[in-house]
Amino acid sequence: MSIQKAGIIYCDEQILVVDKPAGISVLPDGWEKNSSHLVKLLEVDSGKLWVVHRLDKVTSGVLVFARNAEAHRALNSQFEKHQTGKVYHALCNGNPKWDEHTARHPLRVNVGHSHRTVVDHSHGKPSETHFKVLKRYGLAALLEAVPASGRTHQVRVHAYALGHPLLGDTLYSAPVSDAIQRPALHALSLTLTHPASGQLMTFEAPYPDDFSEAVKKLQGG
């Protein structure tokens, strides 16, 4: 895979924004230091990259990298201070009784051999995700998810904790889905302040084919 296949959304001397495909890790998985991963593949064409944030291996969508140490520091500060805006779209099992809901379950990450994130009211870190139902399909729904914190698997676990695990998310107790073969989660947009110009910028990534096909299947009943 090349940088073109990953899908360049925006590139300048400070930042690289890509549309990450599902199925590839941002960095090596565990002990597999020489395994193929997104940073390694992108650096072939773009030169050294600094990781600012991550998406799960199974998640698609907007991802930003810094292209120098100064940009990395500036972007890290924005993410740490929650000065960025992230919007996800997700397909969930079931039809929520609410139109909008904010999940505030405290989360503890990297639990057990499967490295799950779990709700832990005693030792979990404060976490918050705002959900909004965009469309209802009978036995499933299209959700907008806006996280106010950045825990691993946060959107997935909060949806599960609300009783509506994402389609295809068998790690969090969803049944195997005929509509999509991975957790149905897509990072739709990212808003940040450019580290050099100070301009507020929003980047978007369209649904990948498998997510679009899942929506079509649900619309068709």
Side-chain angles (χ1 to χ4, degrees), residues 177-191:
S177 173
D178 293 331
I180 192 168
Q181 304 305 308
R182 65 173 174 98
L185 182 63
H186 177 67
L188 183 73
S189 71
L190 173 65
T191 300

Side-chain angles (χ1 to χ4, degrees), residues 47-199:
K48 180 172 175 57
L49 297 174
W50 281 255
V51 175
V52 179
H53 68 128
R54 303 189 195 187
L55 295 175
D56 297 341
K57 181 176 182 178
V58 296
T59 302
S60 57
V62 182
L63 189 67
V64 63
F65 296 96
R67 302 195 70 191
N68 56 63
E70 186 175 354
H72 184 232
R73 286 191 294 270
L75 290 173
N76 266 349
S77 178
Q78 289 183 49
F79 275 87
E80 289 172 359
K81 295 177 181 177
H82 308 298
Q83 294 172 339
T84 59
K86 293 178 282 186
V87 177
Y88 292 80
H89 278 191
L91 295 166
C92 74
N93 284 273
N95 208 317
K97 296 179 180 179
W98 36 264
D99 292 324
E100 296 190 42
H101 184 84
T102 299
R104 295 187 176 90
H105 308 79
L107 301 178
R108 182 161 59 93
V109 306
N110 201 25
V111 176
H113 295 297
S114 58
H115 305 290
R116 287 164 52 101
T117 294
V118 299
V119 174
D120 187 333
H121 292 281
S122 298
H123 304 290
K125 293 184 177 180
S127 308
E128 180 177 313
T129 308
H130 183 74
F131 290 97
K132 180 180 179 180
V133 177
L134 299 179
K135 291 184 181 179
R136 300 179 185 273
Y137 304 110
L139 298 178
L142 174 66
L143 304 179
E144 176 184 270
V146 179
S149 48
R151 313 299 176 204
T152 301
H153 296 182
Q154 178 175 313
V155 173
R156 297 165 62 186
V157 179
H158 275 169
Y160 163 68
L162 295 175
H164 298 284
L166 303 189
L167 287 186
D169 200 354
T170 55
L171 181 63
Y172 293 105
S173 300
V176 173
S177 173
D178 293 331
I180 192 168
Q181 304 305 308
R182 65 173 174 98
L185 182 63
H186 177 67
L188 183 73
S189 71
L190 173 65
T191 300
L192 54 82
T193 300
H194 191 278
S197 69
Q199 180 183 356

Side-chain angles (χ1 to χ4, degrees), residues 1-8 19 21:
M1 188 187 75
S2 68
I3 192 170
Q4 287 77 18
K5 193 167 183 180
I8 300 174
D19 181 359

